[in-house]
Amino acid sequence: MNELSDNSYNLGLGRSEPKLKLWSSAGLMLTYKCPASCEFCYYNCGPDKGGLMPIDMGIRAWQSLIDLAGDRARVHITGGEPFLYFDHLLELARQARKLGLGGFDTVETNGFWATDRTVVAERLGLLDEAGMGRLKVSWDPFHAEFIDIECVKTLVEVGREALGPDRVLVRWEKYLEEDAELGHIKDGESGPVWDGDRDELYRLAAKDYPCRFTGRASGAIAGLFADKGMDFLCKNACDSEFLSAKGVHIDPYGNVFSGVCSGIVVGNIAETDLESMWRGFDPGRMEVIGELFRSGPAGLLSEVVGLGFDKKARYADKCHLCSEVRQFFFDNGRYKSIIGPPEYYRRI
């Protein structure tokens, strides 16, 4: 396993200075495709998005994480919605197990597929045999716009019977236990619709469980919480976000994102293994990332305002501002190796 001193940024720092953490977890994003287009989605996933991580890329990323972090390495599967490609998901799990890499720590799903108890039990049994640790079910007012609550209830019930209660997590279970919280969502001809103030439902949900205002969440939801001016945002650098990130997310095209900073590419697993990537990662010396590291997204404004960027008076937080500046970069073809991939920034 690598030591902190093996990283180029950490090399030469004093004992008390904050250091770049070792990446010990990786979220493999099987796809950007998802049957839902939740307003809070950090990766801007949806039915019209695509991508499917090749098995060999997933194995390479997994092995690379073990080379980097040793026994501390943990891999979880996310998306998009990985159960859209269940056979592919299962094959990745089986190959990793066969090669001695271990099992998925967690597999995430919105439960859209859980319409039949027999199918649910069969699929979870196969994943269990392939080494899955836990199942994580996403459920909240945002998912309720697209996903039938009865599917979620079926998945959770059967899952806890098959795997045990401690191995099925619900994010956020409050909304599953208290149907009244979603009482003004009714079935319409084309799916669930709101009988009341949709924005108010979003406000309540985001206050209960705060969102990160990036991806699609930098749109409608962020606008509901935009109360911070530049005097506040100018004091918010992103050094701690990069230094304290203990893991990465890897999208179906191999793009690597540090921590939860979606849409900011720090490397590609198809070109560089995670161990080498982490060893050479010096955020202060990289284009765009360096400015974020030192000054936060407010530091990028001097470049974009003169080019036509529509700066708002207030933002929900620095992630909201960062998302809008990065969208501007993408729309104008700037920093293509860092601002990507198109799947993330494409507006559908």
Side-chain angles (χ1 to χ4, degrees):
M1 188 180 78
N2 289 264
E3 303 295 334
L4 294 183
S5 57
D6 293 325
N7 169 262
S8 60
Y9 173 82
N10 293 337
L11 192 63
L13 290 178
R15 179 175 296 182
S16 62
E17 293 181 89
K19 297 175 178 60
L20 183 77
K21 295 290 189 295
L22 186 72
W23 295 338
S24 58
S25 71
L28 304 185
M29 296 177 59
L30 212 63
T31 180
Y32 280 102
K33 189 176 182 65
C34 183
S37 299
C38 299
E39 288 291 348
F40 87 112
C41 184
Y42 311 136
Y43 288 93
N44 207 14
C45 299
D48 297 318
K49 297 302 178 76
L52 181 61
M53 179 177 286
I55 298 293
D56 63 341
M57 178 180 287
I59 294 297
R60 188 185 315 126
W62 201 325
Q63 181 62 67
S64 186
L65 184 70
I66 292 173
D67 293 341
L68 173 61
D71 292 341
R72 295 169 57 187
R74 295 290 182 272
V75 170
H76 64 276
I77 301 297
T78 183
E81 174 49 59
F83 277 79
L84 285 169
Y85 303 99
F86 178 76
D87 290 342
H88 194 81
L89 166 65
L90 182 60
E91 181 61 22
L92 175 57
R94 284 173 168 169
Q95 286 202 27
R97 183 89 165 195
K98 182 179 180 180
L99 293 169
L101 304 182
F104 300 134
D105 182 60
T106 307
V107 177
E108 300 179 9
T109 180
N110 60 37
F112 82 98
W113 55 276
T115 58
D116 183 283
R117 295 176 66 91
T118 301
V119 171
V120 172
E122 179 184 1
R123 288 186 170 186
L124 296 185
L126 290 170
L127 287 173
D128 189 28
E129 291 175 2
M132 179 184 71
R134 297 173 296 174
L135 182 74
K136 186 174 182 180
V137 185
S138 297
W139 177 251
D140 47 54
F142 308 110
H143 281 91
E145 185 175 358
F146 304 95
I147 308 300
D148 186 345
I149 190 173
E150 294 305 320
C151 291
V152 179
K153 287 181 175 179
T154 296
L155 177 57
V156 173
E157 182 179 337
V158 176
R160 286 177 173 165
E161 290 173 358
L163 304 174
D166 295 336
R167 292 177 61 196
V168 179
L169 311 176
V170 182
R171 173 193 176 278
W172 300 299
E173 193 150 6
K174 165 185 174 178
Y175 293 106
L176 193 60
E177 295 173 342
E178 303 176 17
D179 288 356
E181 294 287 343
L182 304 174
H184 54 299
I185 299 179
K186 304 188 302 183
D187 287 335
E189 290 184 6
S190 59
V193 295
W194 268 263
D195 178 22
D197 188 341
R198 175 176 176 169
D199 286 352
E200 183 59 23
L201 181 66
Y202 283 171
R203 284 193 187 94
L204 291 172
K207 284 182 178 179
D208 280 348
Y209 303 98
C211 294
R212 297 190 296 271
F213 297 114
T214 186
R216 194 176 291 111
S218 66
I221 295 178
L224 300 175
F225 294 90
D227 59 357
K228 296 174 178 62
M230 285 300 150
D231 55 339
F232 174 85
L233 296 171
C234 285
K235 301 174 184 177
N236 281 262
C238 298
D239 52 343
S240 63
E241 280 77 7
F242 286 106
L243 295 180
S244 64
K246 296 181 180 179
V248 295
H249 283 83
I250 304 172
D251 82 357
Y253 308 110
N255 297 302
V256 178
F257 309 120
S258 171
V260 296
C261 292
S262 56
I264 304 175
V265 179
V266 302
N268 192 291
I269 193 68
E271 301 167 359
T272 309
D273 61 81
L274 284 180
E275 185 177 19
S276 300
M277 198 180 301
W278 178 83
R279 282 173 170 261
F281 186 45
D282 186 340
R285 295 179 178 273
M286 298 178 70
E287 279 190 318
V288 180
I289 293 173
E291 194 62 46
L292 292 173
F293 186 79
R294 292 183 295 271
S295 306
L300 299 172
L301 287 175
S302 59
E303 178 177 353
V304 298
V305 169
L307 297 175
F309 177 73
D310 183 19
K311 184 178 74 172
K312 295 181 172 63
R314 295 188 177 277
Y315 291 86
D317 62 10
K318 64 181 179 181
C319 292
H320 183 195
L321 173 59
C322 182
S323 294
E324 296 217 341
V325 172
R326 287 187 284 110
Q327 186 67 53
F328 181 85
F329 281 153
F330 176 80
D331 292 343
N332 287 273
R334 303 174 75 84
Y335 306 113
K336 291 182 179 181
S337 65
I338 295 172
I339 305 301
E343 199 81 62
Y344 173 91
Y345 289 94
R346 213 161 26 97
R347 297 169 177 171
I348 296 178

